[in-house]
Amino acid sequence: MEVEDLFSGGARNEEAQSTGQSPLKSLQVDLDFYSESIREVSMEIIEEGYSSYPIFVAHQHEVSVGEVILDRADLETNWTINASTLEEFVELDIIQEDRKATFIQNYKSVKDYMCLFVVVAEGANFVFYPYK
């Protein structure tokens, strides 16, 4: 699956591009604000047996992976967060089956870090961000 395939209808946020400011600055502010909520959802995903590897998709567009848990429009923030799992990422072929073990090996402590898949216009990447 290509990063482009994650976007519904190819919608893009061009506002950050036009200002020349990195959208990641606003992401840090939002993650600090969202931190406790993301931690609670992460623990719930694990405790309910959905996955041992929660992944949160941070985006400013419509994406077709995970379920929205924190909507930027509702919260008047810059980033929306979707909750997903390693299993969904493998199913969607974002993480290839043969790379799954490597991902698990590099996955940081769920008690201390949120695992983010950050989607920006230039692409997407995994980031581990500490809870506040």
Side-chain angles (χ1 to χ4, degrees):
M1 172 177 271
E2 297 295 319
V3 171
E4 294 292 323
D5 296 336
L6 295 175
F7 296 100
S8 297
R12 296 292 181 117
N13 179 352
E14 296 174 7
E15 181 180 320
Q17 289 178 343
S18 65
T19 62
Q21 182 179 352
S22 170
L24 299 181
K25 298 266 187 212
S26 64
L27 177 58
Q28 183 176 10
V29 171
D30 285 0
L31 290 177
D32 290 345
F33 178 69
Y34 294 155
S35 185
E36 192 56 38
S37 297
I38 292 174
R39 184 193 309 255
E40 288 175 16
V41 172
S42 181
M43 291 298 128
E44 188 175 303
I45 288 170
I46 293 168
E47 290 168 4
E48 297 291 325
Y50 295 115
S51 178
S52 295
Y53 305 97
I55 299 172
F56 297 92
V57 182
H59 59 93
Q60 294 180 313
H61 331 289
E62 292 296 317
V63 298
S64 57
V65 61
E67 293 184 30
V68 174
I69 60 166
L70 298 162
D71 189 324
R72 69 188 182 122
D74 293 343
L75 299 168
E76 298 180 6
T77 56
N78 292 298
W79 291 81
T80 295
I81 305 295
N82 291 14
S84 185
T85 63
L86 170 60
E87 292 77 7
E88 182 179 16
F89 271 61
V90 170
E91 182 181 311
L92 294 173
D93 204 30
I94 298 168
I95 297 174
Q96 286 83 33
E97 183 69 42
D98 64 341
R99 303 290 297 167
K100 182 177 173 181
T102 302
F103 182 85
I104 290 170
Q105 184 179 8
N106 290 296
Y107 195 90
K108 294 192 180 218
S109 168
V110 73
K111 292 177 183 170
D112 300 319
Y113 293 89
M114 57 184 88
C115 176
L116 297 163
F117 187 66
V118 180
V119 180
V120 293
E122 295 80 19
N125 210 343
F126 287 98
V127 175
F128 289 91
Y129 190 78
Y131 291 112
K132 293 292 172 198

